[in-house]
Every structure is written in C-alpha cells, then in structure tokens.
Amino acid sequence: MIRIRKATVTRIVREDDTVQELLVDICGREEKAIAYRQLTGGLEAGEQALLNTTAVDLALGSGGAHFVIAGLRAPERELPPGPGHIMKLNYTPLQCRVLSCEEPGSPHRETLKAARSLLGAPVVCGALHSMVAPVAAAAHELTNGRARVAYVMTDAACLPLPFSRSVKQLKQKGLLAGAVSYGQAFGGDLECVNKFTAMLACRHALGADIIIAAMGVGSIGMDAPLAHTGMEQGELVNAAAALGGAPVALPRMSFADPRPRHQGISHHTLSALQVAAFARAHLPLPVLPQDQAERVRAQLTELGLDNKLDICEYDGQIAIDALHKHGLRVTTMGRGPEQDPAFFLACGAAARAAVQIFDKNKG
C-alpha cells in the first residue's frame, strides 16, 4: 500500500534537466518533495501535485522527502517522439520508456551485440552507493586522470539515478566518464537490461578503463545473515569474472558502527562473498591499526575466505585525500572520514587495486 496526499508547490529549491527538488505545502506544513522529470515532467511554483508520502510517514531513509506522482496543472501528457521501447518500472503506474543500449535504434546496439568481454578491465564491486565517489576520486588521482572511470548502478536500492547528487558532481568534476543504469534502475547516461550488458556498455560504449558497480542510494538490511541487498555484491563479482573482467571486491568496513554485525568487515560483505560469489576476486584491505587489522584477518580466516580470495593490503589514504581535494562531502550512515576512517580507507585500497590492474593492462 502507498499513502497519497495532495500538496501545493511553494518553491523550487534546486533543479536540472533530470530532477527537481521542491518545497511543498502539505496539510499546512512545508516539506520537501522530489520530482523526476522523466516521470512527471517539470512542475511550477503554485502548482498542485499528487505525492507519495509513504516513506516519510514511516520514517524511512528516503532523504526525508516525498515523491511526486503527478503534477495537476496539466494532468494529461503525451509520449514524446523518439526511439525506445524498453520499459523501466514496468507493470507499475509509473512505467516509463527508455532507449536501451541493446535494442534497435540505439547507436550502441551493434557494439553490444559484438561485445563478449571486458578485456581484463577491473570492476570494483561495491555494496553501498557511498563507495562510488571515494573510489572514483582516488582512481582519478592515482592515474592523474589517465583512466576513464564509469559507474554501473544496479537496481537493488534507489531506482532513479538522478537522486544521486554525488554522481552528478563526479561527472561535473571530470572524475566519472558516465553512468549506466540497468534492470529497473533508470536515468543513467546509458540504459541496459541487465548487469552483464551494463558492464559491457561501460567498457565498450563509454570507453571505461575502470568500472565501479554498486547500488544506488539506500539499502535494505536486517540482522539475518542473508537478509540484505548487499548480497548482490557476490553476483557482481560473478558477472565481472564471467565477462573476462578482474573483479575487485570492496569490503564494507567500519569500526565506528555501533551494530556488532557491521564492525570490522560488515556481515553484508562477508555473506555476499561466502555465499553468493563463486568466482575468485581481489579483496583489497586497507592498512589499519594492528588491533583492527587482526580482527579483519580473523573474520576472513573464520569463514575460509582467506583461501577463496586474493587478499592484498594497500594504503587507502588516497580516497580521503582525493575527496578533500575535489571538495566532495561523502558520508556513510551519517559518518564522514573523520568519524569512520576505515570505510573510506577500504575505498582507497580498492582504488589502488583497480589502478594496479589498469596499469598492468596498459603494459
């Protein structure tokens, strides 16, 4: 079930060609709302709109915003002319048409029909959206911009890519060559139907040397070992390996999270690599204080992952330095590098591992 309310747009706070961030009057209160142009078109101040208020009413992590279902100024809209017959959000009232890379009419169709391999490209397989910016920024710094970095956004969490401010910032700063959204996720520079073609599109359509694959903003997790969206990290490892790429499993790490299951290497990463990942992958670990490093190694040994993965240690400080250099503010569960350095050091270690593979490929 969903909760729907009518509201009036009082102000457009921020907008671009993909998304509008609004303030709306709803039941006498001014609250935040988001409209995706691909679904609703553009709204104007003073216009009434229908909102999905479910997540805010349940106090969930949707950024504290409602989502626009439709503007009521012109409730009927025509489908714009143009190619594309693949539906995202299919079989829902908000299903929308996109031009997928794989279908007739796409300029990338023939390239993807012929593509079968990632040609050894490193694929950093992450578990949270907050990993994308530190890895991309660090990879840029480590290669002095020589490596093209692209992002595959999965459909395990937030589905509209325009919700991510960080991806837009990364592209504006030249740290990310582009983004591909697949499955039910939409709004990337390119659209694909599955993770395999999305990775191939990064490599062959966007020309990526390094690929970062991770979900969008938000995630689902409970205290049961397999009850979390982070399980897809193992599936991403498998896909990268099956396509002839070099999977780099980025461990979700923390020594600041109050929940025991997320301390050291999070159970999200451990269960994904133990249960879902069948391919061998690189597992870069950051240099940590001795007690933290010993705890991480003990976790891996206990589950037999030290024999299943290629584990190396790297200095991950580059991620924190790169974020600072480029003016990128990134938090994970509300914590930045000062509060949770291990998370960001792990991202830097993964970037170093990916760049090492990139340099080897370049010969």
Side-chain angles (χ1 to χ4, degrees):
M1 299 292 291
I2 64 174
R3 185 174 187 267
I4 298 174
R5 289 292 184 270
K6 186 183 291 187
T8 301
V9 178
T10 58
R11 185 158 65 94
I12 299 173
V13 178
R14 184 182 292 107
E15 64 180 334
D16 58 28
D17 59 349
T18 63
V19 65
Q20 291 179 304
E21 297 181 23
L22 312 168
L23 288 178
V24 299
D25 184 311
I26 179 169
C27 303
R29 301 184 306 276
E30 191 172 64
E31 300 182 5
K32 294 190 296 182
I34 293 175
Y36 299 110
R37 291 183 183 273
Q38 193 169 350
L39 302 179
T40 65
L43 278 72
E44 299 177 357
E47 179 176 356
Q48 286 195 316
L50 288 181
L51 307 181
N52 183 331
T53 68
T54 310
V56 173
D57 292 334
L58 293 175
L60 301 179
S62 65
H66 305 298
F67 293 93
V68 176
I69 299 172
L72 299 180
R73 171 175 49 88
E76 293 187 358
R77 299 176 59 212
E78 297 299 326
L79 186 66
H85 292 82
I86 298 300
M87 306 300 286
K88 299 292 181 100
L89 307 180
N90 49 313
Y91 298 95
T92 74
L94 292 179
Q95 62 182 354
C96 60
R97 180 194 71 183
V98 301
L99 176 62
S100 179
C101 285
E102 305 93 336
E103 69 174 312
S106 167
H108 306 294
R109 173 176 165 83
E110 296 305 318
T111 296
L112 286 192
K113 282 180 67 176
R116 291 292 184 274
S117 174
L118 294 175
L119 306 176
V123 181
V124 179
C125 303
L128 291 174
H129 189 70
S130 50
M131 294 172 167
V132 177
V135 173
H140 179 86
E141 291 303 303
L142 289 167
T143 64
N144 293 315
R146 292 182 297 113
R148 284 178 64 84
V149 181
Y151 168 47
V152 170
M153 191 180 95
T154 80
D155 59 2
C158 176
L159 297 178
L161 192 146
F163 187 83
S164 171
R165 290 185 185 177
S166 64
V167 168
K168 182 178 181 180
Q169 290 177 323
L170 290 169
K171 290 165 60 178
Q172 289 174 336
K173 294 175 181 291
L175 306 178
L176 202 62
V180 181
S181 45
Y182 76 75
Q184 297 305 315
F186 65 94
D189 300 291
L190 300 177
E191 304 279 3
C192 284
V193 299
N194 63 48
K195 59 177 66 70
F196 296 91
T197 51
M199 290 182 186
L200 290 170
C202 275
R203 183 65 160 142
H204 298 285
L206 294 179
D209 300 299
I210 297 173
I211 299 167
I212 305 170
M215 67 184 72
V217 176
S219 64
I220 298 172
M222 287 158 273
D223 58 0
L226 305 182
H228 55 86
T229 47
M231 288 299 295
E232 75 161 7
Q233 186 176 22
E235 300 168 359
L236 294 170
V237 165
N238 295 338
L243 291 172
V248 177
L250 168 48
R252 176 179 173 179
M253 299 183 67
S254 177
F255 290 91
D257 198 306
R259 297 165 294 180
R261 65 183 183 274
H262 290 302
Q263 292 173 5
I265 299 181
S266 167
H267 82 109
H268 285 198
T269 294
L270 294 173
S271 56
L273 296 180
Q274 182 187 29
V275 176
F278 295 101
R280 197 168 185 88
H282 300 272
L283 181 68
L285 300 178
V287 176
L288 295 169
Q290 184 176 350
D291 60 330
Q292 295 181 1
E294 289 175 353
R295 179 171 181 176
V296 166
R297 290 285 183 170
Q299 287 178 298
L300 296 172
T301 300
E302 182 181 357
L303 296 177
L305 291 174
D306 52 340
N307 294 319
K308 184 178 180 180
L309 303 163
D310 296 322
I311 301 173
C312 289
E313 194 174 80
Y314 299 89
D315 181 356
Q317 182 63 34
I318 185 66
I320 297 173
D321 294 343
L323 290 175
H324 179 74
K325 176 180 177 179
H326 293 284
L328 295 166
R329 181 180 179 274
V330 178
T331 61
T332 177
M333 304 299 166
R335 300 183 296 272
E338 297 80 11
Q339 296 80 32
D340 203 353
F343 179 90
F344 296 90
L345 294 173
C347 293
R352 284 195 182 275
V355 167
Q356 189 176 76
I357 297 166
F358 162 74
D359 287 336
K360 183 178 179 181
N361 290 344
K362 289 294 184 181

